[in-house]
Amino acid sequence: MINAMVSMGGLQQKLDMISDNIANANTAGYKRKDSTFQDLLTNVKQQEQAFEQPVRLTPLGYNVGWGSRLSAIQPDMTQGTVQQTGNAYDFAIQGSALFEVAVDDQGNRAYTRSGSFQLSIDRNNEQVLTTADGYPVIAQTPAGEGRIVVPAGYSARVDAYGNIQAVSPDGNTVNNLGQLKLVEPVKPGSLTATADNLYVIADGTDADQVVQRILPADTNDVRVMQGFLEQSNVDMTQEMSELMIVQRAYQMSARALSSSDTMMGLANNLRA
């Protein structure tokens, strides 16, 4: 009974994870979640010698398992399909990298693959490049690491190496605004998915051990594409197959739980 109950708990978590993947199949930049299971401890039971009878088939020594549990959920960082949008503030990353954004005024950072950006007006009446939810995109600017401020009346242009330029309406005047800050996920399992399609690093974890700054260069395959969006890497065929497998496993555990309850009822009703 305990084996079935524990396993059903882990399977329910995986069902929730698969549901989340399916729900975000059309979310730009979404990375499907993958799970890892592990067996719990197994006890070896040894019955007394008196139980060894001619008609008894059960061995005196047997193993008692305690089911399995969901040990880890981590993002699958494989590349999704890149789709052209024609929007000047849509950016896609080719290669293993993430955009960095500021989530508050205290300097806390988050990371995303969704490059659906926009120009937002902040409290100082400045045009700032932000995510669709208003989080400022971080870049290495001439003044240091910080937000990308586009002068009024200008538009932003980004090349394949993440260099940002402010272009005047006539297309002649160009100002250097810096370079997009991209980070490579060294330990994707330490990234926690949160709301707004963002990833954060848990408190107490050394961020430098989880993500590292990476510069698009000829020596790597990291590139930035303006006017494109990376789509979700969720494969609906794979998700539906896993959903059926998990449902069958859950059904089997439920039947084991029901059988265990029936056997306990029979044992309780035995009369000497």
Side-chain angles (χ1 to χ4, degrees), residues 171-223:
N172 295 323
T173 306
V174 175
N175 295 331
N176 178 35
L177 300 180
Q179 185 179 29
L180 286 170
K181 183 178 181 182
L182 303 179
V183 296
E184 180 182 14
V186 180
K187 295 181 179 179
S190 298
L191 293 172
T192 302
T194 61
D196 303 327
N197 205 8
L198 299 177
Y199 296 101
V200 297
I201 299 174
D203 293 339
T205 303
D206 185 3
D208 293 335
Q209 299 296 321
V210 180
V211 294
Q212 294 180 357
R213 176 80 186 276
I214 185 170
L215 297 174
D218 295 334
T219 56
N220 58 48
D221 60 352
V222 177
R223 296 291 185 273

Side-chain angles (χ1 to χ4, degrees), residues 219-239:
T219 56
N220 58 48
D221 60 352
V222 177
R223 296 291 185 273
V224 178
M225 303 174 64
Q226 186 172 12
F228 292 81
L229 271 182
E230 181 187 7
Q231 304 303 305
S232 169
N233 66 348
V234 173
D235 183 347
M236 288 297 292
T237 302
Q238 179 182 353
E239 298 302 325

Side-chain angles (χ1 to χ4, degrees), residues 110-142:
Y111 311 93
T112 184
R113 284 283 292 197
S114 177
S116 180
F117 300 150
Q118 63 186 17
L119 287 182
S120 303
I121 306 299
D122 66 1
R123 69 188 69 174
N124 298 322
N125 204 32
E126 293 179 325
Q127 288 189 130
V128 180
L129 188 67
T130 69
T131 66
D133 298 290
Y135 299 111
V137 181
I138 300 302
Q140 191 67 40
T141 69

Side-chain angles (χ1 to χ4, degrees), residues 230-266:
E230 181 187 7
Q231 304 303 305
S232 169
N233 66 348
V234 173
D235 183 347
M236 288 297 292
T237 302
Q238 179 182 353
E239 298 302 325
M240 293 304 295
S241 298
E242 288 197 15
L243 180 62
M244 294 177 63
I245 293 172
V246 174
Q247 285 179 327
R248 294 295 179 267
Y250 191 92
Q251 185 180 28
M252 184 180 66
S253 295
R255 287 180 177 176
L257 181 63
S258 177
S259 299
S260 176
D261 181 62
T262 301
M263 294 172 64
M264 292 177 67
L266 291 173

